[in-house]
Amino acid sequence: MTSLVTARPLTAPYVEGELPGPLSAELLARQELRESSARTYPRHLPIALEEGSGSFVRDVDGNVFIDFLAGAGVLSLGHNHPEVVASVTRQLGLLAHGLDFPTPVKDAFTEAQLSMLRPGLRDKMKIHFCGPTGANAVEAAIKLCKTATGRGDVVSFQGGFHGSTHAAMALSGLVSAKRNVANTMPGVHFFPYNRAEYLEQALTDSLGGIPLPAAVLLELVQGEGGVVPARPEFVRRVRDLTRDLGIPLVVDEVQTGCGRTGTWFAFEQYGVEPDVVVASKALSGIGMPVAVILYDAALDTWEAGAHIGTFRGNQLAFAAGVEAIRVIRRDDVLGNVRRRGEQIADRLAPLTGRPWVREVRGRGLMWGIELADPVTGRPATEAASAVQAHALRHGLIVELGGRDDCVVRILPPLNVTAEVVDTACSILVDAVTARTPRAPACP
């Protein structure tokens, strides 16, 4: 396949002609013919990617886009960060796969990850290497807590998403994903997010109706649920309750972890210490698959082989992760996340006055614009889809999430520049302005 146009530099958005372009359309048609119908992103973002650099990608037709999906958050340092790529290349010549044998690069990765925790916490935490996905790490965390406590039930929260494997799906509030799957994992109890009093009443009332659970599973910012941050008082109350009752608190930081919200883990902003931390997406900085759980050593009652997986020894991801943390520290990437987050808040603020914009919300570099009919209050799914399509046509990739996909979401690389953020926000504001009515619809 040969590109139809001269390749433009990956430094600014550029879109020519209709989307998809002819070469993208060809690959999309072949994908439709041969791949599973479970595929998602190309259905709403009809492009075929060829190359990426930093915050930009080029499709096979030569169009250049600002990528504010960033691999669903895995590309914390953007596409193909040269120093991280070099570290992976070096490791590739040494050892690529090592099961769970100790290796120098795995030891360095472990040290780097623990070093990102505050001293009092890191001294009591152990690390477990899971299969290479966040969902597998969620499953490992729940299995760990069930083993350590001898109990079987789990509390999760409405609006949460923890993966699409069988147990992780059962722990997620996304009903549509479970609609056609019978007999998901039993013993899961859902409670309202940001309302701790209902959980407290159920767990402390002798007639509350549920047994003492093995774990409480919580996202500090619900990502797929529409970028909904947890209220500080809610998180602290849940932590106090679980500690008083001897219930392990598991925080799912698959999307919020590794700097996404402006601290290495989002829980740091709430003044709490969880018993288990689930991390995956951005651990390598450039999308090399790896997943871990960090947990209180008191929970380490597993026997050998209790949670295994052939690809838990990805030496390339370990090398990338070590280098990513070095770059993050050297370049003050977490500081950049906070500064760019403030910039986004300022640039998107004018949208809050529009009738169809229910809320603009976010933390760090994790933002959502929720659209709803101002008369009925119903999620404005079609408007959100139109905003996404408009943004793509003007060179910006964004994602949808939340209830009925009514939230336009952005997950920029953590090292994105102020200039790129400014350009992207201009496109996004224009898209929302162009694709939402100026006044409420007629009843």
Side-chain angles (χ1 to χ4, degrees), residues 131-151:
T133 69
N136 188 269
V138 168
E139 303 237 6
I142 298 307
K143 186 189 294 185
L144 172 75
C145 294
K146 287 186 175 184
T147 303
T149 64
R151 302 191 290 263

Side-chain angles (χ1 to χ4, degrees), residues 83-93 286 288 316-317 319-320:
E83 291 169 287
V84 182
V85 168
S87 71
V88 173
T89 303
R90 288 192 299 270
Q91 184 61 40
L92 186 59
I286 60 167
M288 302 297 294
L316 307 182

Side-chain angles (χ1 to χ4, degrees), residues 27-49:
L27 286 179
L28 288 164
R30 293 173 66 183
Q31 183 182 52
E32 166 75 23
L33 181 65
R34 300 188 294 187
E35 283 191 31
S36 158
S37 60
R39 67 194 184 282
T40 56
Y41 297 109
R43 295 183 184 276
H44 306 290
L45 299 164
I47 55 177
L49 301 181

Side-chain angles (χ1 to χ4, degrees), residues 68-243:
F68 271 17
L69 174 58
V74 307
L75 301 170
S76 58
L77 295 180
H79 292 271
N80 300 327
H81 189 284
E83 291 169 287
V84 182
V85 168
S87 71
V88 173
T89 303
R90 288 192 299 270
Q91 184 61 40
L92 186 59
L94 296 174
L95 180 70
H97 179 274
L99 292 174
D100 61 358
F101 289 104
T103 67
V105 72
K106 183 181 183 181
D107 184 70
F109 179 87
T110 299
E111 178 63 28
Q113 295 304 319
L114 292 174
S115 75
M116 299 302 283
L117 302 175
R118 71 170 190 82
L121 184 59
R122 82 174 66 129
D123 296 337
K124 66 177 183 180
M125 300 295 268
K126 299 190 76 171
I127 189 169
H128 177 79
F129 293 86
C130 311
T133 69
N136 188 269
V138 168
E139 303 237 6
I142 298 307
K143 186 189 294 185
L144 172 75
C145 294
K146 287 186 175 184
T147 303
T149 64
R151 302 191 290 263
D153 287 34
V154 180
V155 165
S156 192
F157 291 94
Q158 294 166 354
F161 179 77
H162 303 286
S164 58
T165 57
H166 198 256
M169 178 180 63
L171 293 161
S172 299
L174 189 62
V175 175
S176 61
K178 298 182 278 190
R179 186 172 294 136
N180 298 317
V181 181
N183 299 327
T184 57
M185 185 178 74
V188 180
H189 306 276
F190 288 95
F191 283 84
Y193 190 66
N194 275 327
R195 299 292 299 273
E197 63 269 24
Y198 297 109
L199 175 63
E200 184 172 1
Q201 182 179 6
L203 293 182
T204 58
D205 185 350
S206 60
L207 298 177
I210 67 172
L212 198 66
V216 170
L217 177 62
L218 173 67
E219 288 176 283
L220 281 309
V221 182
Q222 291 187 335
E224 302 304 313
V227 194
V228 183
R231 299 190 186 104
E233 62 274 14
F234 164 71
V235 175
R236 289 193 289 266
R237 195 167 174 183
V238 169
R239 173 68 284 191
D240 289 344
L241 177 66
T242 54
R243 182 181 290 111

